[in-house]
Amino acid sequence: MAFPHLHLGGGAYDIGHGLGEFGREAVHRHLRPLPLWQRLADLAGSDAARSMRAAVERRFPRYWQELEGLADGLELPLEEVFLWNCRGDFVQQQSIDGCTTMLGPTARGTLIAHNEDGFPQLRGHCALVSVSPEQGLGFTSFVYPGSIPGHTFAVNEKGLVVTVNNIRPRAIPAGLPRQVLGRASLDAASIDEAVDILASEGRAGAFHHALGQLGSQRLVSFEGTSEGASVVEVQHPCGHSNHLVHPALGGVAQRITGSSGKRQACVDARIAGLGERLDRAEALAILRDTSGGDLPVYRCAADDPDDENTLATALFLIGADAVDWAVYTEADIHTPTLSGRVVS
């Protein structure tokens, strides 16, 4: 399966423009015709859209420049592209980007592993991008055509690893878009700095973030919603799918799809038999589990009920001196499609 590794640099607009050029054909062919895209485009002139745009321009002008470059590279109206990058900030029945994450201590450090689940029609149209910006931190991230980085999986030059899972609240106010906050987390120099960004007051949609960092034994499971945030320090292997599970946010109304519930139950059951540590083979085996019938952890059905398939699996081994990462695009292949290392 095609899975390019892009290398982009320069100013924020230049980086966004490069992402737009990469994703232009796929967006015009596969995304813009979707009812979801059209429904979001219809909201471009709404009070909520104007409020969210103003919040981004005021708080994160550099990421707004990335969005401007992205729209020009896609050769699409900025308002449409911005709303597409706010697709999880409006309540809707359709699932948008699934994902399953595992995290826990290893014999020599920590591990974060992640299935990136998205639209099946985007298989072969996504990429890994390594960014060397004029401002901010460099990073390597999975990217979808038409989207800025920060809502999938990534590692930055400080060895900060972040993976992201979709959450579906029943109510979402206008506010800072969750994908923009995710992008901002890639500029964080530490776990605590990332948590502070993600817990910003005035956020709109909800996400789960798993965070770890080179040189640290800490692993953090973070759930952020418009109603509040929860931080859990992970001491034992655990997993997360696409709904809130932290007790602190138990009162937040949410939609739990059958797939999310079944994947969470499967991961929990398999982790329960592991003991106190994870290893690479165990993590990959669980994320490639297909025992769930119509609702497996590894999703490849053409008729998936959430219209999502696993497009890539990422594995981050986080140690005292380096983060070793690997990305797999096929479930039955043990050699990664791409791999690399971030050193201290």
Side-chain angles (χ1 to χ4, degrees):
M1 182 181 75
F3 191 67
H5 189 177
L6 311 177
H7 295 268
L8 299 175
Y13 178 90
D14 300 321
I15 292 164
H17 197 275
L19 291 171
E21 289 181 320
F22 158 73
R24 184 187 304 151
E25 181 180 355
V27 168
H28 283 265
R29 178 182 298 180
H30 296 293
L31 296 183
R32 203 174 187 218
L34 292 176
L36 175 60
W37 184 293
Q38 296 304 320
R39 187 159 62 249
L40 289 164
D42 289 342
L43 295 171
S46 66
D47 290 342
R50 287 195 294 269
S51 173
M52 293 167 77
R53 171 175 178 163
V56 175
E57 289 185 289
R58 180 174 59 253
R59 174 82 183 274
F60 298 115
R62 184 154 48 86
Y63 309 140
W64 183 256
Q65 292 172 13
E66 282 189 17
L67 286 161
E68 289 177 322
L70 179 65
D72 286 349
L74 291 169
E75 298 179 354
L76 288 174
L78 175 58
E79 293 77 11
E80 285 189 28
V81 174
F82 175 56
L83 265 293
W84 182 249
N85 281 267
C86 299
R87 57 190 179 274
D89 300 296
F90 295 89
V91 176
Q92 53 217 332
Q93 284 303 111
Q94 183 173 5
S95 297
I96 306 128
D97 307 336
C99 307
T100 306
T101 300
M102 296 176 54
L103 59 163
T106 69
R108 296 184 177 180
T110 59
L111 178 152
I112 298 177
H114 178 85
N115 275 355
E116 184 61 36
D117 300 342
F119 289 121
Q121 57 267 45
L122 294 183
R123 183 176 296 279
H125 297 287
C126 300
L128 205 69
V129 62
S130 291
V131 175
S132 300
E134 289 178 353
Q135 290 181 271
L137 299 180
F139 60 87
T140 295
S141 173
F142 180 98
V143 286
Y144 286 103
S147 294
I148 58 174
H151 64 105
T152 56
F153 59 80
V155 58
N156 73 12
E157 67 181 68
K158 298 295 185 180
L160 178 70
V161 174
V162 186
T163 67
V164 187
N165 292 348
N166 179 34
I167 303 293
R168 307 175 180 98
R170 293 287 185 181
I172 305 175
L176 286 166
R178 64 183 193 171
Q179 287 185 208
V180 174
L181 288 172
R183 170 65 185 89
S185 74
L186 302 187
D187 270 329
S190 68
I191 293 173
D192 287 336
E193 185 179 341
V195 166
D196 287 344
I197 291 167
L198 297 170
S200 295
E201 289 187 11
R203 68 175 293 149
F207 265 148
H208 170 264
H209 300 255
L211 302 110
Q213 189 163 23
L214 179 158
S216 172
Q217 291 290 325
R218 287 182 70 198
L219 283 175
V220 165
S221 174
F222 173 91
E223 293 181 344
T225 77
S226 64
E227 298 182 44
S230 172
V231 177
V232 171
E233 300 280 344
V234 173
Q235 306 295 332
H236 312 283
C238 67
H240 203 289
S241 57
N242 297 119
H243 55 276
L244 302 168
V245 298
H246 293 184
L249 297 178
V252 177
Q254 62 175 325
R255 183 167 66 92
I256 304 174
T257 68
S259 173
S260 186
K262 192 71 175 284
R263 282 182 283 120
Q264 187 71 52
C266 179
V267 170
D268 288 346
R270 292 199 57 168
I271 283 178
L274 291 183
E276 297 299 306
R277 292 177 176 174
L278 277 175
D279 68 27
R280 180 191 195 105
E282 291 165 341
L284 283 176
I286 294 173
L287 289 179
R288 289 170 167 177
D289 190 294
T290 57
S291 65
D294 293 338
L295 301 172
V297 173
Y298 192 92
R299 309 162 80 181
C300 55
D303 59 349
D304 181 271
D306 289 344
D307 192 28
E308 294 174 347
N309 278 188
T310 301
L311 304 179
T313 298
L315 188 80
F316 298 92
L317 291 171
I318 307 168
D321 302 309
V323 176
D324 289 294
W325 59 262
V327 179
Y328 303 82
T329 54
E330 303 292 342
D332 57 350
I333 302 297
H334 295 286
T335 301
T337 305
L338 293 170
S339 61
R341 167 176 271 208
V342 177
V343 298
S344 58

